[in-house]
Each structure stands twice: as structure tokens, then as C-alpha cells.
Amino acid sequence: MPEQTAREIMARSEMTLSPEANIYSAMKSLLKNRLLGAPVVDADGRLVGMLMEKDCLKVLAGEAFDGLPEGHVRDYMTREVETVSPTTSLYDIVQMFLGRTYRKLPVVDDQRRVIGQLSRRDVLRTIESIRDNPYLYGTKDERPPEGEGVDSAMRRARGRR
């Protein structure tokens, strides 16, 4: 089976945010576009943070206790962001999502410019699309044994019965 990479799975057209954007405008954009979050990039397109649903909840919690808070995306964004390169394998992406609570990963080039994003849903769609691929199970004519799932098929494909 050819190894799937972040470049093949990632969404390329999702929005990015400026650190200078008004926090409420950014929240409205996330809701309007039905996004879990968005990368925050500088003028050169380099990643400086992520604004996620959890960050937006902090704004709302502050509003409940302190009145209507004002601010910019930079005031609420998560600054420490884990990323993947375009060549990160599907298997490694799955492992990252299993070991962490976040639901999105930015895909960045070697200069930290955002070139795409991955969500858990993107990974699930990819796994579903290869589910019936006979090459996943070792040979062109081999089909999965009855009741065998994607996990055991992926272990078999990677040589880890």
C-alpha cells in the first residue's frame, strides 16, 4: 500500500486568522464556516498560534465574570502549537491525534508557513476511503477476514500483526 501523507489528506482552503483580528469577528468567522479552529498567521503566512473552540470559550468565560471583554485574536490564541510536515505519514498523524486532546493540526512547510490543515475527520475520511482497498491487506486478491477492522489491517500493512 502506498503510504498516505499529510499533503494528500490535508484541507488546503480553510481560513487563517490574523493576530490583529478582533476576537469576536474571528469567533463569528469560525462559526459561520463551521470550523473547530483556525491557524493564526503573520503577514508572511507563518504560523504564530491557533484559535480553537476552547480559546473562544475563555473569551466567553471572561465575559460572564468581567463584563464584555475586548481583545484581539493574539490575546486569546494558543501559542504553543504542534504541527506536522507535508510528508508526515497517516500512521503518525493517527498516533498524534490518539495521544492528544486537540482536533486539528496545521500542516506547515520548512519555514512554518501554513499550507493546509488536518482534522480528525480528515483522517477518518481517508481511512474510510482506503478501507476497501485490497492492497491494504497485503495482496491484490486478499480481502479482510470477516470481522477484522481497520486497526488490525493497518497493523498488518505495517508488518505488526
Side-chain angles (χ1 to χ4, degrees):
M1 173 181 84
E3 187 72 24
Q4 297 268 349
T5 64
R7 182 184 322 277
E8 297 158 335
I9 303 167
M10 68 184 187
R12 290 175 174 81
S13 61
E14 289 192 16
M15 71 179 208
T16 59
L17 298 168
S18 163
E20 308 308 318
N22 175 281
I23 189 62
Y24 292 103
S25 295
M27 288 169 54
K28 185 175 182 177
S29 293
L30 290 176
L31 290 169
K32 179 181 175 188
N33 292 292
R34 297 179 180 213
L35 296 175
L36 303 170
V40 181
V41 298
D42 65 15
D44 295 321
R46 287 186 180 87
L47 184 69
V48 296
M50 286 283 287
L51 185 70
M52 303 297 289
E53 292 171 321
K54 185 176 180 179
D55 301 317
C56 295
L57 291 176
K58 292 175 193 173
V59 176
L60 300 175
E63 180 178 326
F65 297 111
D66 301 327
L68 189 63
E70 290 298 317
H72 299 92
V73 168
R74 71 174 175 267
D75 302 324
Y76 296 97
M77 71 183 186
T78 298
R79 294 178 189 278
E80 298 293 320
V81 179
E82 193 158 350
T83 64
V84 295
S85 77
T87 58
T88 303
S89 73
L90 173 61
Y91 181 80
D92 290 335
I93 294 164
V94 168
Q95 292 305 311
M96 290 177 79
F97 278 130
L98 286 174
R100 290 155 186 91
T101 59
Y102 46 76
R103 302 188 304 182
K104 279 187 110 80
L105 287 167
V107 182
V108 298
D109 66 14
D110 57 353
Q111 295 180 13
R112 287 194 57 86
R113 286 187 302 243
V114 176
I115 60 170
Q117 297 178 65
L118 287 166
S119 68
R120 290 178 182 178
R121 185 159 302 209
D122 295 327
V123 171
L124 290 173
R125 280 189 195 117
T126 300
I127 292 170
E128 178 61 25
S129 73
I130 61 175
R131 172 76 171 100
D132 294 325
N133 183 341
Y135 293 102
L136 180 65
Y137 298 97
T139 68
K140 183 177 179 180
D141 297 327
E142 191 176 345
R143 292 281 185 234
E146 188 65 34
E148 183 174 293
V150 173
D151 289 341
S152 52
M154 286 184 76
R155 281 193 299 278
R156 181 184 301 173
R158 292 188 71 77
R160 299 180 188 155
R161 303 235 174 236

